[in-house]
Amino acid sequence: MTKKEELPVSQVPRAVRVASLLSEGEELSGDDDQADEDEDDHAYEGVPNGGWHKSSLNSSLPSSLLIPELPPHPMDGLPGGSTPITQVIKAGWLDKNPPQGSYIYQKRWVRLDADHLRYFDSNKDAYSKRFISVACISRVAAIGDQKFEVITNNRTFAFRAESDVERKEWMQALQQAVAAQYARAQLSSAYPLGIRGSEPPDRAGSLELRGFKNKLYVAVVGDKVQLYKNLEEYHLGIGITFIDMSVGNVKEADRRSFDLTTPYRIFSFSAESELEKEQWLEAMQGAIAEALSTLEVAERIWAVAPNRFCADCGAAQPDWASINLCVVICKRCAGEHRGLGAGVSKVRSLKMDRKVWTETLIEALCAAVTTTDLAETQALLGCGAGVNCFSGDPEAPTPLALAEQAGQTLQMEFLRNNRTTEVPRLDSAKPLEKHYSVVLPTVSHNGFLYKTASAAKLLQDRRAREEFSRRWCVLSDGVLSYYESERAVTPNGEIRASEIVCLAVPPPDTHGFEHTFEVYTEGERLYLFGLESAELAREWVKCIAKAFIPPLAEDLLVRDFERLGRLPYKAGLSLQRAQEGWFSLTGSELRAVFPEGPCEEPLQLRKLQELSVQGDSENQVLVLVERRRTLYIQGERRLDFTGWLGAIQKAAASSGDTLSEQQLGDSDIPVIVYRCIDYITQCGLTSEGIYRKCGQTSKTQRLLESLRQDARSVRLKEGEQHVDDVSSALKRFLRDLPDGLFTRAQRLAWLEASEIGDEEEKVSSYIELAHLPPVSRATFEGLIIHLYCVQCFSDTNQMNTHNLAIVFGPTLFQTDGQDYKAGRVVEDLIGHYVVVFSVDEEELRKQREEITAIVKMRVAGTASGTQHAGDFICTVYLEEKKAETEQHIKIPAAMTAEELTLEILDRRNVGIRERDYWTCFEVNEREEAERPLHFAEKVLPILHGLGTDSYLVVKKHQSMEAMLLYLASHVGDTKHGMMKFREDRSLLGLGLPSGGFHDRYFILNSSCLRLYKEVRSHRPEKEWPVRSLKVYLGVKKKLRPPTCWGFTVVHETEKHEKQQWYLCCETQMELREWFATFLFVQHDGLVWPSEPSRVSRAVPEVRLGSVSLIPLRGSENEMRRSVAAFAADPLSLLRNV
């Protein structure tokens, strides 16, 4: 076999070099062990089959063989760390028997050191093709001329030397290395993993490596990253190569990928998940730190004999220490200490944490086992003594100050590393005037947090999970530090507690992690942290809060908060200068602690009389006006003030649909109810049909939305809002309450009480039932008193007690107009409201005088709305043709399809969400087709042309979004292509079909639709003006269309002859493209309104006299039943049974 000439590594393309990592023979698709199993057994003459003999293990090598003259290796001479470079015992060219067969050998560069036997493609390669742990070699045997085998537990590697002498040298070198490895294993007391080495891997698992179809098993051990084909080979100690991390660098790539970069090669790995990727990055960063560490500190500490062994398990040469306990521990025990928390044990590395190891700390650690006074201090702390306890000397109030005063540097270092959370205790008999600064409590906490990059503005958008990075965070001595990993030496950054001005807790699932919190600093920076565990997140928030909140504001931490921090404020009589106070926001309560005076009563934000922002953009002031007090909060720092402003405004707004979640006035009446009642009292008491007539649906909906969003800021002004719109908004708000004013049981009790025959007993029952929750009672009472005032002007407004009861009975009791007793209750309450609600006569007299004065200043009567001439009543269905979905509606001459759609949705209280394309369809049941009306198309002409088998239905246009996307990406207004075509002329109404479906070529442009017999035809067979065509989706089944993606086209000639034909497409997408193009050219490119119109026409009510016949809730069938009942006997619904 001819061996090709090898190129230098620098000239080989990188992709080839990466792929060649495992390219020997069939190694990418198979294993050496599989090939070895296929090899014939060899006769090992004169070689024992057992283990090593002691005599052979103790044989010595010739001095000339120990350190031969070797060519320089690419990995030699690199900047190393604490791990010494393993000395090469022997290196040279050998022929290796690959998996292809027993008689084919390939030349390999082989290197043997104390730990591994490795072979390479050439002597210039940095990374081996395979390595064998010396510890797993069971024996070395000669197998013939110049050949020898390296035998492991279940693998055999065959080599061939140039001569018998060279073979002997290799065998002796291997035997000596194995013997030395065996001796080291016997001496070591901590050798748990056998052949894999003396230390467990920091991380091990499967990873994808770019260029290989199979996953590799990767292990991070110490300062090296080892690559194996699979888990089995990892346990056998037979790998591919290992990477010295002293020359490595790790960086993130995209999503689950990361790169391990060395001067010789880039290894691109992919993990199973982003979380796993973060863990791999952390492990490899630790390996880099291990490789770049130094033994200088460790050797100085190990100089003291007791420090040469782990204080916990006795392992030799421990490279970690607990600086507050003054003990040296091994790596495994260091992990256990970290789990105890920084408040118990502060763990540092002897090799990596260089900045920590001051001369004083090293001396303290060395002296801790020999110095009696330091041991006594340790004993005191172990018994629970507090480092920050009061010493009794104002000049040196703490033990640390006493040690500093006495010049005891070791004691100072020990005490400084053992600060606890205990506050120094003061003698209560002493005056409050202090001669020293009170030491704030020191809070310690640590753990992993997920963190995003700091920001200089509020986080308006959701932060995805991919934007968070896993960081080891330590809160200690008033500093929150975050590290790349728990073993990193230098923090990536730190936040001092003294610089924290605000701590905010967003609602769950605001960002990629379910639980997050924000930290604001004086430097106008915002830090976002996240965790999956609610308990861990809550614990972190509490610890950070304790670290920056002073003792005087500790009461704010009793309850969970949404936002906590310090802000400059002005309040009370001290408005000359601003002071700094501490605030916490919990729900709709804002609690405050001021430097002077007791803890303030919390502000109920939903009951504020005013919430406004004054000043310019540079000097903003938030004004909060509550009954009897006003608070000014100044925006000294823009970032956290903006956060506080948004949070307070949100908390002061309505938080839900129930009464108790609304903005409330002083009397506990929701502001939205008070605003409407007050406006109608001012402007609508003399309006004819007040509360009976409905306002315009679109205006009512718009007004109700603004009131629900922030009723306090809405100012209703005459001329801008019509009284009917306001009254309709109030009725809709009351009937849309999820639980109403009463619970179901309470509603039934009220209705049953109305049937009591004795009037006094009935009123007494009403009085007892009127004991409702505060907000419900206040709202109910205010509404009934208002209705009493309205009926006082029934001569003008035509709304007596009876008519008001008809309107408000079904609304307040949510009976859908089906129970007449609801109206009777309202009528009784209006008549007896003074007794039921214990209204004072003086208060009643003042109220009447005020209303009378208002009415005298107004012009009696207002112009009532008139119906448009030519209105046409039709039935429109919602989503499908059913009796319960039908809606009877008046169609004015100018009503468009969009207005009709909105009117139907308003009647049924159907909300329009984003990407909901509600459209009115014309459905032809006979033709089994439907046509979506263009939003600007007039409805009345369509109604006049509908046959008995056609109707209108409002439903979602499922294909509209796909059509809009097609039109957005399509260039021009033309379309052409092949379709199946069939013509069908309606001759004398007989509907005789003409032929079947045929392939035809169509061209559609802005003016016409042309039909060609084939693509190459020059003249069209037919041509129709495009604007005279009506295109319906669907083809009737009896025509047996070739596909289900067809549409029917109708053309009416000048002689009013109707022609129609059927077209079929191959795919649904093709059908959508043709239909979208039809709409585009017929309506000048405006297929869907850019902003759906909010204008909906007011539909006049059907009335009988002055009584509304359309119930406030319920279907049209219920409406017709109500009409029949009222026509028979208008008073029957309120007559005593």
Side-chain angles (χ1 to χ4, degrees), residues 1054-1071:
E1054 295 179 356
K1055 298 180 181 181
H1056 300 289
E1057 284 187 0
K1058 283 189 177 181
Q1059 298 177 352
Q1060 69 182 40
W1061 57 92
Y1062 309 97
L1063 304 175
C1064 288
C1065 304
E1066 293 294 334
T1067 64
Q1068 183 185 29
M1069 193 62 223
E1070 187 179 350
L1071 172 68

Side-chain angles (χ1 to χ4, degrees), residues 156-157 163 176 197 294 390 423 442 459 497 515 616 659 783 860 917 934 981:
T156 301
F157 298 85
S163 63
Q176 183 70 18
T294 177
F390 185 53
V423 182
T442 301
L459 304 178
H515 302 281
D616 53 25
L659 279 177
L783 186 61
Y917 298 93
H934 188 259
F981 169 77

Side-chain angles (χ1 to χ4, degrees), residues 91-107:
W93 290 100
L94 288 175
D95 293 331
K96 179 186 176 295
N97 188 3
Q100 285 85 345
S102 302
Y103 303 102
I104 301 175
Y105 282 83
Q106 294 178 343
K107 189 174 289 294

Side-chain angles (χ1 to χ4, degrees), residues 69 109 260 328 590 631 644 714 787 813 860 974 981 1038 1107:
E69 292 294 329
W109 178 258
L260 172 54
V328 185
L590 180 66
L631 179 65
W644 275 105
V714 176
L787 295 181
F813 291 90
T974 62
F981 169 77
K1038 74 175 184 178
V1107 180

Side-chain angles (χ1 to χ4, degrees), residues 185-251:
Q186 291 293 105
L187 291 175
S188 176
S189 61
Y191 196 70
L193 298 179
I195 61 173
R196 292 198 300 274
S198 60
E199 57 179 321
D202 297 311
R203 180 158 184 85
S206 298
L207 285 175
E208 296 178 9
L209 180 60
R210 186 178 300 170
F212 305 105
K213 63 180 181 180
N214 296 325
K215 288 185 178 182
L216 301 182
Y217 194 81
V218 183
V220 181
V221 182
D223 60 351
K224 291 181 175 58
V225 175
Q226 301 173 352
L227 306 183
Y228 299 85
K229 279 189 175 181
N230 47 50
L231 178 61
E232 180 184 0
E233 290 197 351
Y234 167 71
H235 288 296
L236 293 174
I238 301 172
I240 300 169
T241 190
F242 52 79
I243 306 160
D244 189 345
M245 297 303 285
S246 62
V247 295
N249 185 34
V250 187
K251 63 178 181 180

